[in-house]
Amino acid sequence: MNDLSRPALDRLSVNGKRLWESLMTLAQVGATDKGGVCRLALTDLDRQGRELFVRWAREAGCSIRVDRIGNIFARREGRDPSRPPIATGSHIDTQPTGGKFDGNYGVLAGLEVVRTLNDLRLQTEAPIEVCVWTNEEGSRFVPVMMGSGVWAGAFSLEHALAARDRDGVSVGEALGSTGFAGTAPAAVADGAPVFGAYFEAHIEQGPVLEDAGVTLGAVTGALGQRWYDVEVTGMEAHAGPTPMRLRRDALFAATHLMQEVIAIALREQPHGRGTVGSVDVFPNSRNVIPGRVCFSVDLRHATEEGLARMDAALRAAVADAGRRFPVRTGVEQVVHFEPVAFNAMLVDAVRAGAQRLGLSCMDIVSGAGHDAVYVARCAPTAMIFVPCRDGISHNEIEDAKPEHLTAGANVLLQAMLERAGVAPPA
């Protein structure tokens, strides 16, 4: 980049007050009584949030492209429009009891980069694009990370458009009703533009940065994930007349398996994760011995080898429970996300930006899925994490400090400028 054409890189700064005000304004769309946000994907509230972003982006001089899965791309032209854009972004759909910052911060930090470049009257060599990915949360429609998944070819556009919510409304129908059924190609394989680099700023959604007293996380990658449905079948019987030794108690056996899920994760520290998050007990009656239990298992690890070990251990535990207890057991894998390593040069750019600004920074692995995980399949990708209070996210009390949000946006600005280059003055 040409440092003679603009202020020194370490003196550039976004307008943190403007970024915060934008976040608070967007948070009013779908605001909840507890201070959070409920803006489910492709609802009327999501439409309002999207239209607000589009208005702001156009006011900042961007052109707007909407693809066939509803992803929005706000483009600030560079001096050389033939160069692949340097992109950033995230999502603005939320959980039913979501917060103000999850996803929204990444989108509006990108918009703030564009606004800052306008303030400084800087033209980049490559175009800049800010992305709003459709249905990242997966609260209304499955699969999660839908828009970026279609873009990267993780699943087909047709599969995504056919997905339906609990009321039977399809993604295609919802796109039409919100006015965001775009015409641009949605998948890279179908001609959607590929990025020269992609950065995603995000709250950590965990407690590591806050616990360490560190301002920024240079995200080196994301944990792989395997999700399972486990079923344990015994026999319903009366809780009074049936002696303990003659019971076929499905819940008794299932609780042993749930304990083993935690034990498997503990054996795979520091990056092993194991969670039982959903349990269905049949017939779920106070004085009936449970005859069937179905529960979810979420296993995560930083390497595919670690995930494979955890997978083998879970399957062995399920089979062993079927031999140890008078029940039948079964396990089915329903989701598999491979671990992702982000681009080393882009991660270095995040570290270098933090160092130039005198900000504390540590390497960190994302435990959650993000649009960046799918984007990394097709473009060099990195993420920037900032702390959130008590590590809480997917919750209406989710919170972050303005100074941390500003710091992350400043590093985003520097990293994007390094990749996009600064055009010489006209």
Side-chain angles (χ1 to χ4, degrees):
M1 62 190 308
N2 183 357
D3 282 329
L4 299 178
S5 67
R6 59 172 180 81
L9 189 63
D10 59 5
R11 295 207 305 269
L12 294 180
S13 179
V14 302
N15 185 329
K17 181 174 182 291
R18 180 171 58 194
L19 172 60
W20 180 263
E21 289 174 349
S22 296
L23 284 162
M24 295 304 103
T25 300
L26 179 59
Q28 293 306 304
V29 183
T32 65
D33 292 339
K34 294 182 180 179
V37 182
C38 177
R39 194 168 55 237
L40 300 183
L42 302 180
T43 57
D44 188 64
L45 287 170
D46 188 34
R47 174 191 63 77
Q48 293 176 43
R50 286 164 163 261
E51 289 178 349
L52 178 61
F53 169 79
V54 167
R55 176 167 65 82
W56 281 341
R58 284 182 169 144
E59 289 171 353
C62 294
S63 60
I64 301 295
R65 180 176 78 255
V66 181
D67 69 18
R68 294 180 62 194
I69 195 60
N71 296 322
I72 304 170
F73 304 90
R75 182 180 177 98
R76 184 183 193 264
E77 283 298 348
R79 188 182 69 85
D80 183 358
S82 68
R83 289 179 57 173
I86 305 304
T88 187
S90 196
H91 61 96
I92 64 170
D93 66 301
T94 75
Q95 292 286 333
T97 53
K100 301 181 180 74
F101 305 100
D102 176 9
N104 304 294
Y105 170 56
V107 171
L108 295 183
L111 179 62
E112 181 53 37
V113 166
V114 169
R115 288 168 164 171
T116 298
L117 293 176
N118 291 344
D119 293 343
L120 298 172
R121 299 183 180 179
L122 288 179
Q123 184 180 30
T124 53
E125 292 282 359
I128 297 289
E129 289 198 352
V130 182
C131 313
V132 179
W133 301 105
T134 296
N135 187 45
E136 191 271 355
E137 293 289 3
S139 294
R140 184 182 179 195
F141 299 106
V142 176
V144 301
M145 295 154 19
M146 179 178 284
S148 56
V150 170
W151 182 87
F155 35 83
S156 70
L157 172 66
E158 290 71 26
H159 174 72
L161 291 175
R164 295 184 180 273
D165 67 9
R166 294 179 179 178
D167 296 323
V169 178
S170 72
V171 169
E173 291 165 346
L175 283 168
S177 65
T178 58
F180 280 90
T183 58
V188 170
D190 295 331
V194 179
F195 310 133
Y198 176 82
F199 295 92
E200 184 166 343
H202 211 283
I203 58 170
E204 181 197 344
Q205 298 185 282
V208 174
L209 292 176
E210 185 179 63
D211 180 67
V214 173
T215 301
L216 294 171
V219 187
T220 59
L223 299 182
Q225 305 177 37
R226 295 196 188 198
W227 295 358
Y228 306 83
D229 289 336
V230 177
E231 183 169 315
V232 180
T233 305
M235 176 69 72
E236 305 93 75
H238 198 298
T242 311
M244 300 301 291
R245 66 182 181 84
L246 297 179
R247 296 182 177 207
R248 297 177 59 192
D249 188 335
L251 184 58
F252 179 69
T255 56
H256 280 264
L257 277 174
M258 294 176 196
Q259 297 277 340
E260 186 59 25
V261 169
I262 305 305
I264 290 168
L266 290 173
R267 293 196 294 268
E268 292 286 348
Q269 292 307 291
H271 294 309
R273 307 285 192 272
T275 304
V276 174
S278 174
V279 181
D280 290 322
V281 179
F282 177 83
N284 203 29
S285 177
R286 184 180 296 271
N287 63 343
V288 179
I289 299 163
R292 186 175 70 251
V293 176
C294 300
F295 62 95
S296 66
V297 175
D298 178 328
L299 299 181
R300 306 190 186 207
H301 201 280
T303 68
E304 190 60 31
E305 294 78 12
L307 268 183
R309 288 193 301 269
M310 297 176 80
D311 174 83
L314 175 66
R315 293 181 185 278
V318 171
D320 182 62
R323 292 187 292 267
R324 290 176 57 200
F325 303 102
V327 296
R328 297 192 312 274
T329 59
V331 57
E332 179 185 4
Q333 181 178 290
V334 293
V335 167
H336 181 195
F337 293 126
E338 294 183 354
V340 172
F342 289 141
N343 182 271
M345 290 183 62
L346 299 195
V347 176
D348 279 342
V350 174
R351 296 188 189 109
Q355 184 177 18
R356 278 193 296 268
L357 294 171
L359 298 167
S360 58
C361 181
M362 63 182 284
D363 286 359
I364 191 169
V365 176
S366 173
H370 299 285
D371 291 308
V373 170
Y374 278 147
V375 175
R377 296 188 180 190
C378 297
T381 298
M383 293 189 73
I384 301 165
F385 275 177
V386 299
C388 52
R389 191 184 71 184
D390 298 327
I392 293 173
S393 185
H394 287 190
N395 188 314
E396 291 164 281
I397 66 171
E398 175 186 278
D399 200 7
K401 293 182 179 179
E403 57 267 31
H404 290 159
L405 300 172
T406 300
N410 279 331
V411 172
L412 177 67
L413 170 65
Q414 292 198 27
M416 294 187 74
L417 276 177
E418 281 195 351
R419 306 303 296 183
V422 176

